[in-house]
Amino acid sequence: MGVSLAKGQNVVLNQDGTPLADVTVGLGWDARSTDGADFDLDASALVCGPDMKVLSNGHFVFYNCLASPDGAVRHTGDNLTGEGEGDDEQILVDLDRLGGRVSQVVFAVSIHDAERRGQDFGQVEEAFIRVVDNLTGREMCRYELSCDAAGETAMVFGALYRRTGEWKFRAIGRGCEGGLAGIAAEHGVAVGP
């Protein structure tokens, strides 16, 4: 098992010195039992430059755009129910294919149609993000969100980032206003009608 992180901590992913080429970022959650509509949570990735803005609108990878233009970041598909054990959604990142302009990939989760359904992250439990080395299948790190996020409809779970030639992961666990559109706008995605 990999390193267990607390909010704000970071870790060098290949700290054992093994080459690291591509990873799977797994995101998971459980919705508390409610009398209302089913929960549909959506994972997304934002491929950013040093200014924390996406390189282009195509570098916002989510259920309607399953791959970045270069194919380095790929979403495996939308899980509409979150049922079952393990990762609910996965995003594959080919670190070798990310260009030099990429300084980090930010991972977020939003609740689909949260406002209309009256849902927020206060009704979500056992949320986590983990990074797995695709070559070895080894989980390198995991962050289990434990913060009270009542009222939040979207959250940044964590980020992969490049520093001095090494790939690191930071546990973030920060709520964002405005759901998926709010996360997109915060990172420079042109969100229009």
Side-chain angles (χ1 to χ4, degrees):
M1 182 159 170
V3 176
S4 180
L5 298 171
K7 183 176 181 173
Q9 287 186 312
N10 58 31
V11 64
V12 175
L13 290 178
N14 56 341
Q15 56 186 309
D16 62 359
T18 59
L20 185 62
D22 62 309
V23 297
T24 296
V25 176
L27 301 108
W29 50 79
D30 290 324
R32 293 182 182 159
S33 297
T34 64
D35 297 337
D38 290 339
F39 276 76
D40 177 12
L41 278 70
D42 299 309
S44 57
L46 300 109
V47 184
C48 299
D51 61 356
M52 286 299 299
K53 304 297 184 194
V54 292
L55 300 181
S56 73
N57 279 351
H59 287 88
F60 176 37
V61 178
F62 67 115
Y63 58 83
N64 273 344
C65 177
L66 293 177
S68 61
D70 56 7
V73 179
R74 299 178 319 279
H75 195 301
T76 61
D78 190 11
N79 177 340
L80 298 176
T81 65
E83 293 294 319
E85 296 294 315
D87 300 339
D88 290 312
E89 293 189 10
Q90 294 181 328
I91 297 173
L92 310 175
V93 182
D94 186 336
L95 300 172
D96 288 343
R97 289 178 65 187
L98 287 174
R101 296 183 348 183
V102 177
S103 63
Q104 68 181 293
V105 181
V106 177
F107 300 94
V109 175
S110 56
I111 301 173
H112 182 73
D113 213 8
E115 197 170 300
R116 185 183 65 78
R117 294 178 180 190
Q119 298 171 342
D120 62 46
F121 271 94
Q123 299 162 304
V124 175
E125 52 192 20
E126 298 186 30
F128 69 86
I129 182 170
R130 67 191 192 113
V131 182
V132 176
D133 179 351
N134 287 344
L135 180 64
T136 64
R138 179 177 62 92
E139 182 179 288
M140 293 179 285
C141 65
R142 173 183 289 257
Y143 168 46
E144 296 183 10
L145 284 74
S146 59
C147 56
D148 178 19
E152 302 289 356
T153 61
M155 294 190 71
V156 174
F157 277 31
L160 284 172
Y161 65 100
R162 190 182 345 225
R163 176 103 10 104
T164 61
E166 294 180 308
W167 282 101
K168 298 182 176 186
F169 179 82
R170 177 180 302 115
I172 297 175
R174 177 179 57 82
C176 296
E177 291 186 24
L180 184 62
I183 288 173
E186 179 181 311
H187 291 89
V189 177
V191 179

